[in-house]
Amino acid sequence: MAAQHKTLVAGAAIVAFVLAAALISLVWTPYPIDVLSVANRLKGPSLTHLLGTDQFGRDMVSMLMVGARTSIAVALVAVGIGILVGVPLGLLAAARGGWLDETLMRANDLVFAFPALLSAVMITAILGPGAINAILAIGIFNIPVFARVARGGALSLKSREFVLAARVSGKGEVRIIAEHVLPNIANLLIVQGTIQFSLGILAEAGLSYVGLGAQPPLASWGRMLNEAQTMMALAPSLALYPGLAIVVTVLGLNLLGDGLRDLLDPRLKRRTT
């Protein structure tokens, strides 16, 4: 059935390729990225270096592989923070209502008043540069996103017959949420998770580009773009490769999200647009 959804298959293939490159980089890369080789700087593609080398003599394939690992790790943990904190808050707001719901939603509105990347830049500027602080910055913005999605999904189920029957049978709110509400909004959360994952990769690249994300010797697609901007006249491919990596990865995640949305529940298309 999944094969009938071309966007799902295409997105899954792209994401699987990038994920495989990131996982392989944990144990092997063609060349170490922390070793500089001035004699091999700005080499073109060859059998020795498939995509050539950068201005420091580092192998571009190795840099892209480790950059994939950095982007995926930062985005994945940041999305995890958003889910683990935001979903319970959203479900709590939907279950309790009243002043608690109003307070949480106004706090969400306050966070949404600032662009995501600008908020991440402000947070990392205060906490200092680094991958950990980038994760915290992106994760903090993800919290209200998942809180709002979980709250909206829970409210749409609150008056459904199976929820009312569970409440009449004497089940508590926590049990109703765990057994009836959460499984029925899982589709919404999965689709939103893929969207936030792609946004997390963009945010990590943006933070690294301005020097607030992953720091040397850790490779990052955003910092590769930053380092390549002074070499555009001599070697434009140094910016082309990480730029394409970001575009292709985000495209793959968006295709995967669209495919999952259509596969899991076609009605999500109306809910998320």
Side-chain angles (χ1 to χ4, degrees), residues 131-194:
I132 300 298
N133 292 337
I135 290 172
L136 292 176
I138 302 170
I140 288 173
F141 184 82
N142 279 334
I143 291 174
V145 173
F146 284 101
R148 189 174 291 274
V149 170
R151 174 183 176 272
L155 288 177
S156 68
L157 298 174
K158 198 171 184 179
S159 59
R160 297 287 294 273
E161 291 79 2
F162 61 91
V163 174
L164 296 176
R167 187 171 290 113
V168 170
S169 67
K171 292 183 179 180
E173 288 294 336
V174 175
R175 189 176 175 186
I176 291 175
I177 289 174
E179 295 182 359
H180 301 285
V181 176
L182 195 55
N184 282 283
I185 65 171
N187 294 347
L188 280 170
L189 298 176
I190 291 172
V191 173
Q192 190 65 46
T194 59

Side-chain angles (χ1 to χ4, degrees), residues 80-119:
I81 291 173
I83 292 175
L84 292 176
V85 179
V87 172
L89 286 177
L91 294 175
L92 179 63
R96 297 298 182 183
W99 67 268
L100 180 60
D101 183 24
E102 186 68 18
T103 301
L104 289 175
M105 290 305 102
R106 297 296 74 77
N108 279 3
D109 292 340
L110 180 62
V111 175
F112 286 136
F114 300 93
L117 186 56
L118 178 60
S119 300

Side-chain angles (χ1 to χ4, degrees), residues 28-117:
W28 176 84
T29 55
Y31 296 89
I33 66 167
D34 56 352
V35 176
L36 307 184
S37 177
V38 178
N40 291 321
R41 64 189 303 267
L42 299 179
K43 294 287 186 179
S46 65
L47 293 178
T48 306
H49 300 281
L50 294 181
L51 296 179
T53 61
D54 65 6
Q55 64 271 39
F56 301 109
R58 298 173 298 187
D59 180 65
M60 288 299 293
V61 172
S62 302
M63 293 290 290
L64 290 172
M65 290 174 66
V66 179
R69 183 179 73 198
T70 302
S71 295
I72 289 175
V74 170
L76 186 62
V77 177
V79 169
I81 291 173
I83 292 175
L84 292 176
V85 179
V87 172
L89 286 177
L91 294 175
L92 179 63
R96 297 298 182 183
W99 67 268
L100 180 60
D101 183 24
E102 186 68 18
T103 301
L104 289 175
M105 290 305 102
R106 297 296 74 77
N108 279 3
D109 292 340
L110 180 62
V111 175
F112 286 136
F114 300 93
L117 186 56

